[in-house]
Amino acid sequence: MDKSFEPTAIESKWYAGWEAAGDFAPHGDGEPYCILLPPPNVTGTLHMGHAFQQTIMDLLIRYHRMRGCRTLWQGGTDHAGIATQKIVENQLAANGQSRHDLGRTAFVERVWEWKQESGSTITRQMRRLGASIDWSRERFTMDEGLSAAVRRVFVQWYRDGLLYRGRRLVNWDPVLMTAVSDLEVDNQEKDGSLWSIRYPASDGSTSLVVATTRPETMLGDVAVAVHPEDERYSHLVGKTLTLPLTGRQIPVIADAYVEREFGTGCVKITPAHDFNDWQIGLRHGLAPITVLTLDAKINDEAPEKYRGMDRFAARKAVLADLEAQGLLVETKKHKLQVPVSQRSEAIIEPMLTDQWFLDLTSDTRVDGKSGPGGRKAITEPALAAVRDGAIRFVPENWSTTYNQWLENIQDWCVSRQLWWGHQIPAWYDEAGNIFVGEDAADAIAHAGTPPIGALRQDEDVLDTWFSSALWPFSTLGWPNPGDTREAGHVVANWTTDQTFLPSAVLVTGFDIIFFWVARMVMATQYFTGKVPFREVYINAIVRDAEGQKMSKSKGNTIDPLDLIDGISLEDLARKSTASLLIPQVREKVEKRIRKDYPNGIAAVGTDALRFTFAALATYGRTINFDLKRAEGYKAFCNKLWNAARFVLMNTDTGAAAGTIHSADRHAPCTAAEQWILARLRATLAEVEAQMRVYRFDLVAQALYEFVWNEYCDWFVELAKPALQGSDAQAAASTRHTLLRVLEAALRALHPITPYITEEIYQTVAPRLGLTPASVLQRPYPRAADFACDDAAASADIEWLRAVLTQIRRIRSEMNIAPGKEIPLLYAHGSAEDRARADRLAAQIGFLAKAQSPRWLAAGAAEPAAAAAIVGELKLLIPLAGLIDLDAEKARLAREIQRLEGELAKASAKLANFGERTPDHVVEQERQRIAEFGATIAGLREQAQRLAAA
């Protein structure tokens, strides 16, 4: 092994080897264990959220693969309809062209060309992270097999009376000219205004004042609503008002939606341009009036003066005219939430358009035929899956979010006005009749009447989430019962692969519980009769070290590859500001980058980054990523590397090699070996327990404590007396245990830190006679594999550690050089202390650098000495000629003060225990208080002795 751990040198080598060897494919006949990768956008690049989530998934898949499961991590990418189309449209625009210049067919071909050239960026980056996905089965939501599944699902739902075409209100992007999902809309707080407008009664007797943030939409008002119990306006309900600027007469209606205490208690109702107003309009039978075109200009339903105006220009004109007529009562500054398109940054308009919808709210079929509607056939089974325990959320509280959304669900708008995506398999004849099928011939064959004239296919495509909802079963080959081939090779076989359904666990973020998780449950249950997954682990959202949301405009985003590879300050500043167009924002971000990363970012390697993510993976809603944590886990990797080098150097002789294998047939010879094996067993039991409940932070903590503290810091040291002693059997046994425990630790760590563990394993395995070519082909270590647990030996070593720790603490505090031999006296102590001091005399002398430790005679005066207490035993290091008496007095005073603080906290804790506190917890705290008291008494006695010296 090289002298230092250099991640870059080993990572690409091992990943390529694993993939080439087919190590990521399902193998064996163990229990199926499957994880579905949430398919990232084909346009995407790896960000911290991806890296965190994929670390968790890879940790799980490697763990279960090593435990003998037949594992499948199903990977692939999403076609990302809007994002991908926008990239290619921007490329065309740079050359002075639009998609309409090319036409639909040529444009779609152009998008496929872009996908082939640039669409694999994120999958290459995922390989850098170590993601052990079975790439031989990689899918793309627009590949032929998945497209066939999309067509089959659409057609079946339509024929089952669950899909319909209707005119409904949707989120509309007036720049991209398409409906968009809620997930593609950011609600941004902006400074705006609240305008109060007077609406005169038709008979001129009175007026009502309404407030609005969008005065241009008043041109489409159809009513003014008041609360039915509001006595101020009850006499006006049923009467009419004159809508300003239009002269139309609109009714005053009563609806409980209105909040009497808010504003004037009067609300303008514009059903065609507001989601809440749409519902009120339905309740009261009000015909909506659309006053905006699809590109957000005023249409011909408005007075002629405003027609053709952009919505914001119309706003100014409307306000000016209202003021001129004396109807603008008040203008106030107002903070408001503005819906903004993630893709175009245009302000979203609620727009009344013709779209395709999946029924999720009806009890009977929407086509009027006999049969269950969407609520009965889709929504209620999805609710039952979680309620009845077929699907479990981790943490459990997220099931409430899931249930609340499904209990208040609306029909799903599944159509989008794009060219890139799954074109809707519906056709229209010249009379406007709809024909649905997997192709035109199938549509005609299943129609009740023949088409009139030529057929024209619907130009819309399906929502990207539609194909994603089928991911759990379409990726396994459904609906094709045989082999599914892509690019000439088999990627799935539904007949054999449905053994992976349901998958074991879905790892995803809480922000797509509605858009993806629930919809997968709906679709998978409907078409396969199974739930898509047994458990849903909701991972936290990654924020910066101060808990702020990561944002390019804040300059606090981190590219995970920059953490892995490192990046200079200048390159980081340039990269972080490249996409920022506003000079003030660019300047602010660069200033922050130079402040936060004055030396750039040092490379920590993939393993350290993955360990950081695992250590942060609590049940919390967010995690704060601190670069210092990653640097700390780089130190952990270095510690493991150096310990492995020590072990290998001490097992490299011919004599050692000859005795290691024979030692495997015998019990460990030394107490230190028995202790480390007991600690290994306890650690593995803890890991197994925490993996079951997805507490990856506690898994990482257990492994860190064992490897860093118990193996590297203690066992390697405790092994030295045996290695350098005269007992050949003890030396051989110790060499074997050093290797055996190291190899087990490598296996235990492998799911978190795959690269360093593989590199070290390659050198360790031959020393133990192991034949598997890779650590991931070895079984995950189990607690039962390490049955040696001599309680007496373990107790001896824990006592030895306590003694050495106290001696080392005194050395450090008194500034005694580590290599300087010291006198050591024992005082007081139990019979067991005396027996242990005798048994472990050689180890204490060797590891503490102590000169012939001896017991102080009974009744003999204690010399002026630095002292420490271990239970009943007092350790004395005589001070004469060794240390500064004043410094030792100060040290004792500090230690007494610290312990008094601990005693006070323990006493307060005990006082707060109630009747329900378990007896063993109460007793444990009482024991701690007694120990603190005894230690303080001993230290005070020593302080008094020094004071008299």
Side-chain angles (χ1 to χ4, degrees):
M1 288 175 61
D2 293 338
K3 287 186 177 181
S4 60
F5 171 54
E6 298 297 338
T8 305
I10 66 173
E11 290 177 2
S12 58
K13 171 182 70 174
W14 287 120
Y15 193 92
W18 293 326
E19 186 175 353
D23 286 333
F24 303 155
H27 58 268
D29 55 2
E31 180 182 349
Y33 184 92
C34 178
I35 293 180
L36 303 167
L37 174 76
N41 286 352
V42 70
T43 58
T45 55
L46 195 73
H47 57 60
M48 290 294 279
H50 288 136
F52 175 54
Q53 190 178 80
Q54 290 169 20
T55 294
I56 298 305
M57 285 185 274
D58 193 49
L59 190 165
L60 283 165
I61 211 77
R62 287 178 183 268
Y63 174 77
H64 285 279
R65 184 184 290 132
M66 293 176 73
R67 284 176 65 89
C69 293
R70 186 167 181 265
T71 57
L72 169 64
W73 188 2
Q74 177 63 57
T77 50
D78 188 277
H79 64 278
I82 293 177
T84 307
Q85 177 163 318
K86 190 168 185 288
I87 285 175
V88 178
E89 285 196 89
N90 288 344
Q91 291 177 346
L92 292 174
N95 295 321
Q97 292 180 296
S98 74
R99 61 184 164 113
H100 300 285
D101 294 328
L102 269 66
R104 182 168 192 148
T105 300
F107 177 77
V108 170
E109 289 175 356
R110 182 70 172 265
V111 179
W112 276 108
E113 289 174 8
W114 174 88
K115 193 265 180 184
Q116 297 304 319
E117 294 169 2
S118 307
S120 59
T121 298
I122 195 164
T123 57
R124 290 195 302 270
Q125 293 172 330
M126 289 164 63
R127 286 173 167 88
R128 290 292 316 278
L129 192 66
S132 57
I133 291 169
D134 183 1
W135 296 107
S136 70
R137 301 172 56 105
E138 182 182 358
R139 307 303 299 273
F140 177 54
T141 50
M142 282 285 286
D143 70 27
E144 182 49 45
L146 270 60
S147 296
V150 167
R151 291 191 295 271
R152 176 69 59 87
V153 166
F154 186 95
V155 171
Q156 192 62 54
W157 266 339
Y158 178 80
R159 290 175 181 167
D160 290 349
L162 300 171
L163 269 169
Y164 65 94
R165 185 166 173 81
R167 192 167 181 80
R168 301 276 293 275
L169 210 59
V170 297
N171 290 318
W172 184 262
D173 185 320
V175 172
L176 297 176
M177 299 281 283
T178 181
V180 294
S181 73
D182 290 344
L183 193 65
E184 294 158 328
V185 177
D186 289 331
N187 288 302
Q188 300 178 4
E189 185 176 79
K190 293 183 178 290
D191 292 324
S193 296
L194 184 67
W195 291 278
S196 296
I197 304 169
R198 187 176 304 281
Y199 285 34
S202 299
D203 61 9
S205 61
T206 186
S207 63
L208 293 180
V209 176
V210 301
T212 181
T213 59
R214 300 164 65 215
E216 68 279 8
T217 64
M218 69 173 290
L219 302 173
D221 285 359
V222 298
V224 170
V226 298
H227 194 279
E229 297 175 2
D230 194 332
E231 297 177 355
R232 294 173 295 174
Y233 307 118
S234 58
H235 64 288
L236 294 175
V237 175
K239 297 190 176 185
T240 59
L241 307 172
T242 299
L243 181 64
L245 309 183
T246 70
R248 280 194 292 109
Q249 305 304 301
I250 60 174
V252 178
I253 62 174
D255 195 284
Y257 166 78
V258 178
E259 297 180 36
R260 284 177 287 181
E261 296 77 17
F262 183 77
T264 62
C266 303
V267 178
K268 61 189 283 299
I269 304 302
T270 320
H273 296 288
D274 184 276
F275 288 102
N276 293 317
D277 293 2
W278 171 259
Q279 295 298 326
I280 294 174
L282 290 178
R283 287 197 291 272
H284 293 269
L286 301 171
I289 298 176
T290 300
V291 294
L292 289 176
T293 61
L294 296 180
D295 58 351
K297 292 181 172 60
I298 304 298
N299 68 13
D300 291 347
E301 291 290 339
E304 185 174 358
K305 173 178 181 177
Y306 308 109
R307 294 174 189 172
M309 285 186 179
D310 175 80
R311 53 184 163 166
F312 300 117
R315 177 178 296 179
K316 293 179 181 179
V318 164
L319 290 170
D321 290 346
L322 288 170
E323 187 167 24
Q325 295 180 23
L327 297 175
L328 185 60
V329 177
E330 185 182 25
T331 300
K332 292 196 303 186
K333 291 182 178 180
H334 184 67
K335 292 277 188 184
L336 65 159
Q337 294 293 317
V338 178
V340 177
S341 169
Q342 288 182 347
R343 303 302 179 188
S344 70
E345 298 185 356
I347 293 178
I348 294 294
E349 284 290 343
M351 194 73 74
L352 197 57
T353 57
D354 291 313
Q355 303 286 349
W356 284 92
F357 294 88
L358 177 65
D359 171 42
L360 299 170
T361 57
S362 302
D363 291 330
T364 57
R365 291 171 55 135
V366 293
D367 59 3
K369 296 179 181 179
S370 176
R375 182 188 301 280
K376 298 289 187 183
I378 301 176
T379 306
E380 289 183 358
L383 278 164
V386 171
R387 182 186 63 239
D388 299 342
I391 297 174
R392 185 176 75 94
F393 277 83
V394 181
E396 194 279 331
N397 61 286
W398 289 112
S399 63
T400 302
T401 303
Y402 173 92
N403 290 333
Q404 286 176 344
W405 185 71
L406 283 173
E407 288 164 355
N408 297 280
I409 200 168
Q410 300 296 315
D411 290 354
W412 175 14
C413 176
V414 299
S415 48
R416 297 291 183 267
Q417 289 62 54
L418 302 170
W419 284 1
W420 172 244
H422 297 100
Q423 191 168 357
I424 291 176
W427 287 260
Y428 306 92
D429 68 8
E430 294 177 4
N433 298 309
I434 299 176
F435 298 80
V436 172
E438 296 194 35
D439 53 33
D442 180 55
I444 294 171
H446 283 81
T449 57
I452 299 171
L455 289 180
R456 171 184 57 86
Q457 187 172 0
D458 195 313
E459 293 187 355
D460 289 353
V461 300
L462 287 164
D463 179 8
T464 299
W465 294 102
F466 192 96
S467 51
S468 297
L470 319 185
W471 193 248
F473 57 99
S474 63
T475 54
L476 300 177
W478 186 94
N480 176 21
D483 286 344
T484 296
R485 295 177 178 272
E486 299 291 347
H489 71 274
V490 176
V491 293
N493 182 299
W494 175 244
T495 300
T496 58
D497 289 347
Q498 60 183 296
T499 186
F500 291 112
L501 187 72
S503 61
V505 60
L506 176 73
V507 179
T508 189
F510 63 80
D511 52 336
I512 55 175
I513 289 177
F514 316 139
F515 302 99
W516 192 45
V517 178
R519 289 168 178 169
M520 283 192 288
V521 178
M522 293 173 178
T524 306
Q525 287 195 128
Y526 192 92
F527 289 99
T528 73
K530 299 180 180 181
V531 294
F533 24 73
R534 296 186 187 91
E535 295 181 306
V536 182
Y537 173 75
I538 300 296
N539 60 260
I541 301 300
V542 182
R543 296 188 181 274
D544 71 9
E546 284 77 42
Q548 298 296 309
K549 182 178 179 181
M550 289 190 173
S551 165
K552 289 182 179 179
S553 63
K554 291 180 181 178
N556 63 347
T557 60
I558 304 176
D559 182 338
L561 295 186
D562 289 341
L563 290 168
I564 292 171
D565 298 329
I567 186 170
S568 71
L569 172 60
E570 296 307 318
D571 287 344
L572 181 60
R574 187 162 43 249
K575 178 178 181 177
S576 301
T577 57
S579 62
L580 302 176
L581 302 179
I582 302 173
Q584 297 93 322
V585 175
R586 190 164 58 244
E587 182 180 339
K588 181 186 73 173
V589 168
E590 181 168 355
K591 185 176 180 180
R592 175 168 183 165
I593 292 294
R594 293 185 180 280
K595 174 178 175 291
D596 290 350
Y597 308 103
N599 300 311
I601 297 176
V604 300
T606 300
D607 288 322
L609 178 60
R610 287 170 59 113
F611 208 113
T612 307
F613 283 134
L616 291 171
T618 67
Y619 279 178
R621 190 183 180 100
T622 61
I623 61 171
N624 297 351
F625 186 90
D626 188 345
L627 184 56
K628 292 183 176 62
R629 291 286 295 271
E631 292 168 351
Y633 292 118
K634 171 69 181 301
F636 172 82
C637 291
N638 288 332
K639 183 94 167 181
L640 175 62
W641 185 268
N642 292 332
R645 289 188 71 244
F646 170 84
V647 171
L648 292 167
M649 285 189 293
N650 280 277
T651 56
D652 199 25
T653 64
T659 56
I660 285 169
H661 304 309
S662 62
D664 193 32
R665 296 191 294 269
H666 303 286
C669 292
T670 68
E673 294 171 80
Q674 293 167 337
W675 169 78
I676 195 63
L677 290 169
R679 294 307 309 139
L680 175 60
R681 185 170 74 168
T683 299
L684 294 174
E686 175 71 1
V687 167
E688 186 171 348
Q690 300 304 339
M691 284 293 291
R692 281 197 296 268
V693 295
Y694 302 100
R695 285 301 303 268
F696 306 110
D697 58 324
L698 299 181
V699 170
Q701 179 181 321
L703 291 171
Y704 183 97
E705 290 292 329
F706 175 78
V707 172
W708 183 294
N709 293 329
E710 295 174 334
Y711 185 80
C712 296
D713 275 356
W714 281 105
F715 184 60
V716 166
E717 289 298 308
L718 294 170
K720 291 176 181 177
L723 293 176
Q724 298 177 26
S726 58
D727 187 335
Q729 184 60 33
S733 178
T734 298
R735 290 188 184 98
H736 175 263
T737 302
L738 279 165
L739 282 169
R740 183 187 178 202
V741 175
L742 175 60
E743 193 271 341
L746 295 175
R747 286 185 281 144
L749 284 167
H750 180 76
I752 302 178
T753 54
Y755 293 117
I756 188 172
T757 51
E758 183 69 273
E759 182 73 10
I760 297 173
Y761 171 84
Q762 295 299 317
T763 309
V764 170
R767 309 286 176 89
L768 289 168
L770 300 174
T771 56
S774 169
V775 67
L776 58 76
Q777 294 172 8
R778 291 276 289 144
Y780 196 84
R782 297 175 184 255
D785 298 340
F786 301 91
C788 177
D789 187 6
D790 186 322
S794 293
D796 279 356
I797 297 302
E798 292 296 347
W799 180 88
L800 176 61
R801 290 176 69 200
V803 168
L804 294 175
T805 297
Q806 291 297 335
I807 294 172
R808 289 172 178 174
R809 181 177 58 79
I810 292 173
R811 276 186 178 275
S812 174
E813 292 179 356
M814 304 309 299
N815 200 27
I816 302 172
K820 183 178 179 63
E821 286 195 336
I822 58 171
L824 177 61
L825 296 175
Y826 302 126
H828 310 308
S830 65
E832 188 62 42
D833 289 327
R834 289 179 176 271
R836 284 174 173 157
D838 290 342
R839 281 197 299 271
L840 301 170
Q843 289 91 330
I844 294 172
F846 183 92
L847 297 171
K849 298 290 191 298
Q851 299 172 345
S852 305
R854 63 184 180 83
W855 286 89
L856 192 67
E862 294 181 9
I869 306 295
V870 177
E872 299 178 30
L873 175 67
K874 177 180 284 189
L875 304 171
L876 299 167
I877 300 176
L879 303 176
L882 189 63
I883 60 174
D884 184 328
L885 283 176
D886 290 335
E888 174 59 6
K889 291 175 185 177
R891 184 191 73 82
L892 284 171
R894 288 195 304 272
E895 182 65 4
I896 290 169
Q897 184 179 20
R898 183 186 71 81
L899 290 171
E900 285 175 339
E902 294 295 328
L903 177 60
K905 285 191 287 185
S907 298
K909 186 176 180 181
L910 182 63
N912 287 329
F913 284 159
E915 293 180 358
R916 295 185 180 181
T917 307
D919 291 343
H920 73 278
V921 174
V922 175
E923 182 56 37
Q924 184 180 41
E925 207 59 33
R926 285 177 177 159
Q927 181 65 30
R928 291 183 71 233
I929 290 170
E931 290 174 358
F932 284 139
T935 302
I936 291 170
L939 294 178
R940 282 178 176 157
E941 182 182 338
Q942 177 66 9
Q944 290 171 359
R945 187 173 293 107
L946 288 183

